[in-house]
Amino acid sequence: MAMYKTLLTDLTDNILTVTIHRPDKLNALNKDVIAELGEVVTEIYDNKEIRSAIITGSGQRAFVAGADISEFMGLSREEGQALSAKGSDIFFRIASSPKPIAAAINGFALGGGCELAMACHFRLCVTTAKFGQPEVNLGLIPGYGGTARTTRRVGKGMAMYLCLTGEIIDAREALRIGLVQRVVPAAELMNEARRIATTIASKAPLAIAACKRTINNGAHLSIDDALELEALEFGTLVDTEDIKEGTRAFLEKRKPVWKGK
Ligand code: COA
């Protein structure tokens, strides 16, 4: 594993835990964090020992309290667009990763923090977590996919509400609107994230990658195109070694041994 300045990493049992580590700034995403997130995503794609990843924040208070506001002053229009495009590109690679990436949200997930969490494949949070897209308070709009992904995660009405009011919502409300999938006590967050990652890692790898791809790509299609895509992806799996192993193991009443082939 590479060493990072703003990220702590731990690879145990094929699960990479990435901890964003700027606790004195509530893990705000400055240029260094964004650049290093890009590098670690490449590592997640390329390192065969990594089967899934969990992104969390350092300390007790914040997952990520947003993009680093101190870097917004004096930007030109082109620099602003480049800043947004770079973060969006990295978050898009997180969302498109063939390996599952979870957000373990240990506190504030505001602005870029909420956007980072939404780019992950599923989200768990502690009971004290807080979410919001408060960019309008600064004279801005979300820049790392916040308008696009809130709409897709919680629907257009709730996306409008969150982005226009900048309101901060708690974990219970985030669960109610479907922004997070699970709320747990702080002491259980990482164990629960690892339990889910381990469960996913125990399934057939090609099926997991195809399932993610189909949901991601199908989400933007009409229902008939999405069903056609599903049939195509289903078809690519039926002559794999893994489906033979999966069905044989079921009939022989044993656990399958996946090859990812
Ligand atoms: N960018 C840069 N620094 C940030 C930050 C951000 N998004 N969020 C917090 N920080 C820094 C604070 O400036 C402070 O640094 P300092 O100790 O050097 O002054 C430190 O983190 C602690 O934050 P503080 O505001 O003192 O904590 P708090 O408990 O009073 O408030 C928040 C917590 C999250 C409500 C508050 O920090 C906040 O509103 N942050 C910005 C949220 C935001 O607008 N995010 C979207 C950005 S686009």
Side-chain angles (χ1 to χ4, degrees):
M1 290 294 306
M3 292 295 286
Y4 298 99
K5 200 167 79 180
T6 62
L7 307 177
L8 307 173
T9 56
D10 170 71
L11 179 55
T12 304
D13 297 333
N14 304 107
I15 302 169
L16 179 71
T17 302
V18 178
T19 306
I20 299 172
H21 186 57
R22 292 187 75 211
D24 54 328
K25 296 291 177 192
L26 302 184
N27 306 319
L29 304 174
N30 64 5
K31 286 194 181 106
D32 290 341
V33 182
I34 289 290
E36 291 195 337
L37 276 174
E39 289 170 37
V40 88
V41 173
T42 302
E43 211 163 345
I44 292 169
Y45 273 61
D46 294 348
N47 185 338
K48 290 197 167 51
E49 276 184 50
I50 300 172
R51 291 199 63 188
S52 58
I54 300 167
I55 301 179
T56 191
S58 200
Q60 309 295 317
R61 298 202 58 218
F63 173 67
V64 166
D68 192 314
I69 295 169
S70 68
E71 291 184 346
F72 290 158
M73 295 284 277
L75 289 180
S76 67
R77 178 180 296 220
E78 289 72 24
E79 287 167 337
Q81 280 175 1
L83 182 96
S84 171
K86 175 149 195 210
S88 283
D89 175 58
I90 292 164
F91 287 15
F92 183 77
R93 287 202 290 132
I94 290 174
S96 311
S97 160
K99 302 172 189 176
I101 304 179
I105 301 154
N106 54 312
F108 289 113
L110 304 179
C114 194
E115 292 168 304
L116 174 61
M118 287 191 290
C120 293
H121 301 122
F122 58 95
R123 287 153 287 286
L124 298 80
C125 74
V126 297
T127 48
T128 52
K130 299 264 191 288
F131 300 81
Q133 295 292 158
E135 289 86 352
V136 286
N137 295 329
L138 303 167
L140 276 171
I141 64 167
Y144 294 157
T147 61
R149 286 204 181 86
T150 48
T151 307
R152 286 162 175 78
R153 298 285 175 270
V154 299
K156 188 174 164 192
M158 191 54 82
M160 282 283 184
Y161 182 79
L162 290 173
C163 294
L164 296 181
T165 65
E167 189 174 301
I168 306 299
I169 60 169
D170 63 14
R172 182 197 287 233
E173 177 68 353
L175 183 67
R176 190 189 71 78
I177 66 175
L179 187 57
V180 296
Q181 285 67 56
R182 192 72 62 85
V183 181
V184 295
E188 289 170 27
L189 180 70
M190 294 313 292
N191 277 345
E192 184 63 1
R194 278 190 210 98
R195 188 192 65 74
I196 297 170
T198 305
T199 300
I200 295 171
S202 72
K203 314 294 180 193
L206 294 179
I208 290 296
C211 197
K212 279 190 55 284
R213 205 166 48 234
T214 310
I215 292 174
N216 267 339
N217 295 337
H220 316 304
L221 300 177
S222 63
I223 182 71
D224 45 343
D225 287 346
L227 292 173
E228 193 177 324
L229 175 70
E230 188 177 287
L232 282 172
E233 291 280 5
F234 185 91
T236 63
L237 294 170
V238 293
D239 63 350
T240 59
E241 287 186 33
D242 279 353
I243 187 181
K244 292 181 191 112
E245 167 63 7
T247 47
R248 202 181 302 126
F250 175 80
L251 295 172
E252 292 170 5
K253 302 189 189 307
R254 62 171 174 83
K255 280 197 169 167
V257 181
W258 306 119
K259 289 196 177 136
K261 290 184 188 163

